[in-house]
Amino acid sequence: MKAIRFSCLNFINKPVDQEELNNTLEKMAEKAPAPQADEQVKHLLELIRGNTVAPATIGIILPKGVIEFVEVNDIVHMTADQTICRIKLKDNKKLTSAKHLGYYIELLADNEEFAQSSKSHLINLDHIKQYDHRERTIRFEDGDHLIASFRFSKDLKKSLLDRQKGGGFMDKLSRYFKS
């Protein structure tokens, strides 16, 4: 099921909910076979054969059924905006997903590069330049800033410290925390 979600294909769980079935069929009927369908199937097969826990690419569901495949490592952060999600990539490209942030939180839950910094932000720890735990400010390599919520700040600090295990601890640690 996770591989299917990463490839942006749909599925229906048993027992079948009639409303969910109708909605899925309506969506499929609206869509003509798209050139991206082959790409989705290829992506799904790669995920099934390989690592579905932390795949290298993810399908971002854009408005009007368009799906853009991006490298997971290129995602800097994701921000909830009501029922949609705004995604910032490392090349400063911004995507607006038709899916909500919760969808991506669930999808990337097993990926240790990602952590929630607040109810409305999912961040890629690899792109953090500095984290000030007292002020709860997160500064990214591209200059963007976010504020971690009080609720998520302790877990964020723990995630950053846990990533430092294994060589060069002090050098890596100084990368994240304000002196």
Side-chain angles (χ1 to χ4, degrees):
M1 286 188 348
K2 205 164 202 178
I4 290 169
R5 284 190 183 129
F6 270 104
S7 297
C8 299
L9 298 169
N10 208 347
F11 63 92
I12 298 174
N13 288 321
K14 288 183 179 179
V16 176
D17 176 81
Q18 190 62 43
E19 186 176 337
E20 183 182 359
L21 176 61
N22 290 342
N23 289 339
T24 301
L25 292 173
E26 284 176 23
K27 283 182 184 179
M28 296 307 291
E30 291 171 5
K31 295 180 183 177
Q36 70 193 22
D38 287 342
E39 186 68 28
Q40 282 178 272
V41 171
K42 279 191 239 173
H43 191 245
L44 175 62
L45 291 173
E46 287 172 16
L47 290 170
I48 290 171
R49 288 186 202 117
N51 181 5
T52 59
V53 174
T57 59
I58 184 173
I60 305 295
I61 302 170
L62 304 176
K64 299 185 181 183
V66 175
I67 300 169
E68 185 163 336
F69 290 92
V70 300
E71 296 289 323
V72 173
N73 292 335
D74 289 348
I75 298 169
V76 176
H77 59 80
M78 300 178 161
T79 304
D81 189 353
Q82 305 209 7
T83 60
I84 63 171
C85 181
R86 303 208 185 273
I87 300 165
K88 172 83 181 288
L89 303 178
K90 74 177 182 180
D91 63 0
N92 284 324
K93 184 175 182 179
K94 296 175 184 173
L95 301 174
T96 300
S97 174
K99 291 286 189 178
H100 55 85
L101 181 63
Y103 173 84
Y104 294 106
I105 290 171
E106 182 181 335
L107 198 60
L108 296 167
D110 296 328
N111 190 319
E112 53 188 47
E113 282 82 31
F114 286 86
Q116 253 186 291
S117 62
S118 71
K119 186 177 174 184
S120 58
H121 291 102
L122 183 65
I123 62 173
N124 186 333
L125 302 176
D126 288 341
H127 293 284
I128 293 177
K129 182 169 184 162
Q130 183 181 77
Y131 176 59
D132 183 340
H133 183 65
R134 280 183 261 164
E135 298 291 323
R136 300 188 324 269
T137 56
I138 304 161
R139 192 175 76 182
F140 294 94
E141 293 166 342
D142 65 3
D144 274 0
H145 288 80
L146 291 176
I147 304 292
S149 71
F150 182 76
R151 176 179 161 205
F152 287 94
S153 64
K154 288 180 184 177
D155 288 339
L156 177 59
K157 182 178 179 181
K158 183 181 180 327
S159 294
L160 289 168
L161 290 172
D162 286 348
R163 292 170 55 83
Q164 303 312 310
K165 292 179 183 173
F169 177 79
M170 292 309 287
D171 292 337
K172 291 178 184 178
L173 186 63
S174 65
R175 174 179 179 231
Y176 290 112
F177 294 96
K178 187 176 179 180
S179 309

